[in-house]
Amino acid sequence: MSQAGPTSTTAKHRARASLVSLCALAGVLPLPCHAGRVVRPYEVAVQGQSTDALQDAMRQALVRATGRRESVNDPALASVVAEASRYVKGYAVGPHGESQVVFDGPAVDQAIIAAGRGIWERERPFTLVVLIPPRPRAAEDAARAELERVAAERGLPISLLPLTAVDAEGNLLTAPAMLESARRYGGDEVLVGRGDPAAPDSDLQWTLYTRSASENWNGPLAAGIDHTVDLLAPQPGASLAQAEMQTRVRVDGVAGLAEYAAVQRLLENVPGVRRANIAAAEANSAAFDVTVRGGAAGLEEALAGSTRLVRVSPAGAPAAYRYQPRG
């Protein structure tokens, strides 16, 4: 007699036991997860309380809230800028003693969405920036100031750190090694800028390492931050994609607690995902309920370039991916 039935039943029991164990561990142990930092886009330094000053502060707030540079002069948001004083919630003293205006976040969010523009989640990836080769102290301080200035304007939490990013031959480390190093410092992703030591003022070769993919481009210091935010923030005009919906995703290649935790971490770090919870487990796969901007279509778009979660289901079918640990 075939042993398929008992074997299948045993495998399912093991999968269910693993699921129960994972859920139990989630209550008492910190599973690996993203270390995103909360950004407050509507607390803006301001020079006085004049109409012009408040409108300029609102332009800065809109860029931070949407993640899009074009929000400064976006005609769809012109009325929000013009009526900046109407959204003032109060005034405060900033972390460096500067005067700040505090706008009514929910009200401005509602106005942005009504204008057909997207909101970038407040909890954003903490990005560790590495410059290769290391710069002399004065040049490093100048680079840090420029990077932090642009990051503050775009609403991206960063830190410039001297992480080890190359091997003995000077080659960049693998993405998993880079991200593991970042995790030890509380980072979500790594942005590496490689320059020519003989031409310090030339453009850098940038590489962004995230949990789901890697991207490359060239440009000066500001371009490192600007393009990173362009990749992470919601695209302009995609208003339908801003609605958060829950979708169920099956992931194959998940056989134990380590894989469950790794896949959950990957899903949680996909741009647009607010949470990912394991819902069911089989012998070699797991189902996750993912709350994501744009639902299933939004998740599919965000994972289009992933080398770790590769889609295996055809277009139009329920979402199914294969986990590739070393993809």
Side-chain angles (χ1 to χ4, degrees), residues 134-155:
R135 303 185 175 199
R137 180 61 180 272
E140 181 182 290
D141 289 345
R144 176 180 288 105
E146 173 69 0
L147 290 166
E148 290 179 347
R149 179 190 66 80
V150 180
E153 290 178 354
R154 299 297 301 274

Side-chain angles (χ1 to χ4, degrees), residues 281-293:
E282 296 295 336
N284 193 44
S285 68
F288 292 83
D289 285 334
V290 182
T291 302
V292 57
R293 188 175 58 231

Side-chain angles (χ1 to χ4, degrees), residues 58-76:
M58 177 59 81
R59 292 187 184 95
Q60 296 179 53
L62 291 173
V63 170
R64 295 177 185 175
T66 63
R68 313 306 310 183
R69 286 174 288 180
E70 56 269 27
S71 294
V72 170
N73 298 308
D74 188 344

Side-chain angles (χ1 to χ4, degrees), residues 119-136:
I119 302 294
W120 193 9
E121 295 89 346
R122 300 293 183 264
E123 187 172 328
R124 300 176 184 176
F126 180 37
T127 305
L128 304 185
V129 184
V130 183
L131 298 179
I132 304 173
R135 303 185 175 199

Side-chain angles (χ1 to χ4, degrees), residues 153-186:
E153 290 178 354
R154 299 297 301 274
L156 180 70
I158 71 163
S159 182
L160 177 63
L161 290 178
L163 291 179
T164 300
V166 295
D167 59 21
E169 285 79 38
N171 300 312
L172 285 177
L173 298 177
T174 63
M178 202 82 75
L179 292 170
E180 178 59 32
S181 180
R183 191 157 46 244
R184 289 197 294 269
Y185 289 89

Side-chain angles (χ1 to χ4, degrees), residues 68 75 101 111 135 182 199 204 216 260 266 293 295:
R68 313 306 310 183
V101 59
R135 303 185 175 199
L204 287 81
N216 299 281
Y260 291 139
L266 284 171
R293 188 175 58 231

Side-chain angles (χ1 to χ4, degrees), residues 38-58:
V38 175
V39 173
R40 295 180 173 84
Y42 295 124
E43 298 176 10
V44 185
V46 66
Q47 298 292 328
Q49 301 179 16
S50 67
T51 298
D52 287 346
L54 292 177
Q55 289 180 349
D56 185 56
M58 177 59 81

